Every structure is written in C-alpha cells, then in structure tokens.
Amino acid sequence: MQNRITLLFNIKYPIIQGGMVWASGWKLASAVSNAGGLGVIGAGSMYPEVLREHILKCQKATKNPFGVNIPMLYPDLDKLMDIIVALRVKIVFTSAGNPKTWTAYLKERGIIVVHVVSSVKFALKAENAGVDAIVAEGFEAGGHNGRDETTTLTLIPSVKEKIKIPLIAAGGIATGNAMLATMVLGADGVQVGSRFVASEEASSHQLFKNKVVEIGEGDTQLTLKELAPVRLIKNKFYEDIQNLYKKGTTSEELKHHLGRARAKLGMFEGDLNEGELEIGQVASIIHDIKPAKLIVDDIMKEFKEAKNKIVNI
C-alpha cells in the first residue's frame, strides 16, 4: 500500500503507533516498525539518558524507520533534541506546544517533523510552521486531549479541507474499519494508541493492560481541563477529582491533588486506585492483549476486507 504517508516515512502500511507515555518504549516501537508500520518512542516519560538508551536499543532491534514523540510541555527539551540529532533519528512527532519552537531546528538537520493538533486553527499554525505532516487527534483519544471536544469524525474532514500537507487521523482508531473510515474522510494514515497499550510489547504495567481490556462503554472521561485536558479511566483517583469539582475547586487545589508522577504510578507501576490511568474511549472494544505484529496484521486485514465490501456496494 503506497500513499503520501508511506512515502514520507518509507514504511509499508500507513499505521503510526502513538508515542504514549509509560507505554511506548523501544520494544513496542521496534515491533511496530518491524511489522510494517511506524513505531514511535514516547519520550514524554523519559529523562534524556533514558531516551538515549531506548533509541539505541530500537536502532538495534529494527532496520526500519521509527520516530520519537516529544510533548513540549516537559522539561529538558533541549537535551532531548540534542540526543535525537546526535543519534540521527529521522522522524520526530511534537505535541502540546508551539510547532514553531523546534520545527525549523529539526528540519535543518534533515529530520521529518510531524505535529499533533486537535483543531483546524492549530493545524494551520503547524502547516505554516513548516511541518511535514499533521496528526489531527479527536476528542475520543486517550491521554492529553483538546479542550474543544471535537470528535475525530468531524475533525478530520475539517482539517483536510484547510491543509495541503499529509494528514494522519487519531482518536478512536483501533480497527481496520476505523482506519478505512478516517481515510475516506480525508486522512492519509492513522495513528493508533490505545490498541497498542494492550500489546505484549508495551512497557506499561500488566495490571494496567488488564484494566484496559476490561473496561466498557462510558468508563473513561475527559477531565482536568484547567490544567491539561486528559482522558482517564474512572478509578478512585478520578472520583477524587470529581469530588473536588463538586466542592468548587481551584486550579491550585487540582495541582496539589495531582501531585507528581501520578501517571507513572498508575500506568507504569500498576496502582489502579491512586494512579492516573490514561486511555481512549476505544478501549471498550479492545478485548485482548497480543503481539504488536498481530495488531498491525489484524488492522490491515480488516481494512482490506472493509474496502472490498464498499467497492461491492
């Protein structure tokens, strides 16, 4: 399968693995790249030397392209970028910040830059900043999200109408059917997050993976808009936040309750009560944990079958 995204990244399938904190280490990234997609190391949960280790291990584990995701709300950005350049990473996804900050620096060093957005407004800003492609992420997505609550079904055609560069759809995509649907709406490829959390290679805790495949419809909610909007599984930590809202909380009180390393506590260390458990709405249709290669194969098989059905309608 060849299109603007496969040609841009030099990959077999237009499937990009989300660079999720505490889940997207070198094992997952290399497995997805070896399966024909684009694996992405999630640097948001990594100190500079940890990122260096993951890049080096990924380079040994796959000869295929892979990328690194850098959320720009984290510290040590200059050190992370220095490591990416020094180790000759070819693809960088930036998010949660101004794309003008690093795009020119990276592109001048021969790096493909993709920026994640949740609105048409920011898609245009990213295109004007010179990025090579855009990930448009709908309200359904896990982790940090847009405040406007625009769904993927609405966001993708809205962004497609305004930009000229390649477009990657994200948010609520875990199947080949969903991949086809977003590509019919104008996407050139898809970014898949939650489905890869429930993979054998994901670095997240096994208890968190088990929780992901157990939850049903309505078991996640977007919250903490005053700080950084995030979609969470409804556990004790989430309920504590809602109780603060009922009492009339402030941003400072929310920050105090959030504390430090809540996401690590939940997703990496497996505390399902007090930890922050980030996952997308699509988790309600994820029912098993399996190797990343099988996930990629299943998505592509279903994509082709669904495409053939539409042709025959």
Side-chain angles (χ1 to χ4, degrees), residues 194-209:
S194 298
R195 173 66 269 198
F196 284 120
V197 169
S199 70
E200 293 180 0
E201 295 89 350
S203 52
S204 43
H205 198 281
Q206 188 64 40
L207 290 176
F208 176 49
K209 296 181 189 181

Side-chain angles (χ1 to χ4, degrees), residues 155-169:
L155 181 63
I156 298 307
S158 298
V159 173
K160 179 66 176 181
E161 187 178 44
K162 298 294 184 181
I163 68 168
K164 295 181 175 64
I165 58 177
L167 173 61
I168 300 163

Side-chain angles (χ1 to χ4, degrees), residues 96-108:
N98 187 343
K100 288 185 178 180
T101 309
W102 289 100
T103 296
Y105 171 87
L106 293 169
K107 286 179 66 68
E108 286 167 4

Side-chain angles (χ1 to χ4, degrees), residues 252-267:
E252 289 305 313
E253 288 172 334
L254 289 171
K255 286 179 183 178
H256 178 75
H257 180 71
L258 185 61
R260 293 178 58 84
R262 282 280 193 170
K264 180 182 180 182
L265 179 66
M267 296 185 284

Side-chain angles (χ1 to χ4, degrees), residues 99 115 117-128 134 148 150 155 158-159 162-163:
H115 193 66
V117 303
S118 59
S119 69
V120 173
K121 174 183 176 182
F122 288 109
L124 289 170
K125 284 188 175 182
E127 184 176 50
N128 291 336
I134 285 169
D148 295 333
T150 306
L155 181 63
S158 298
V159 173
K162 298 294 184 181
I163 68 168

Side-chain angles (χ1 to χ4, degrees), residues 26 30 39 68 71 91 115 145 152 155 200 203 208 224 227 241:
W26 70 271
S30 61
V68 174
I91 303 165
H115 193 66
N145 212 318
T152 303
L155 181 63
E200 293 180 0
S203 52
F208 176 49
L224 292 172
L227 305 181
I241 291 172

Side-chain angles (χ1 to χ4, degrees), residues 126-156:
E127 184 176 50
N128 291 336
V131 303
D132 297 286
I134 285 169
V135 175
E137 186 173 73
F139 165 70
E140 302 93 325
H144 292 291
N145 212 318
R147 289 182 169 85
D148 295 333
E149 301 189 9
T150 306
T151 63
T152 303
L153 193 69
T154 300
L155 181 63
I156 298 307

Side-chain angles (χ1 to χ4, degrees), residues 33-100:
S33 288
N34 285 333
L38 182 72
V40 178
I41 295 172
S45 53
M46 298 179 181
Y47 292 111
E49 288 309 310
V50 175
L51 176 60
R52 180 190 298 276
E53 178 185 352
H54 279 261
I55 292 172
L56 290 172
K57 287 183 176 180
C58 198
Q59 288 172 335
K60 289 182 179 180
T62 183
K63 299 300 181 184
N64 296 332
F66 69 91
V68 174
N69 176 265
I70 303 284
M72 292 190 287
L73 50 75
Y74 291 95
D76 294 325
L77 283 183
D78 54 342
K79 294 178 182 178
L80 296 176
M81 295 298 186
D82 286 345
I83 288 170
I84 285 169
V85 171
L87 295 182
R88 299 183 179 180
V89 173
K90 298 300 183 183
I91 303 165
V92 170
F93 287 68
T94 56
S95 59
N98 187 343
K100 288 185 178 180

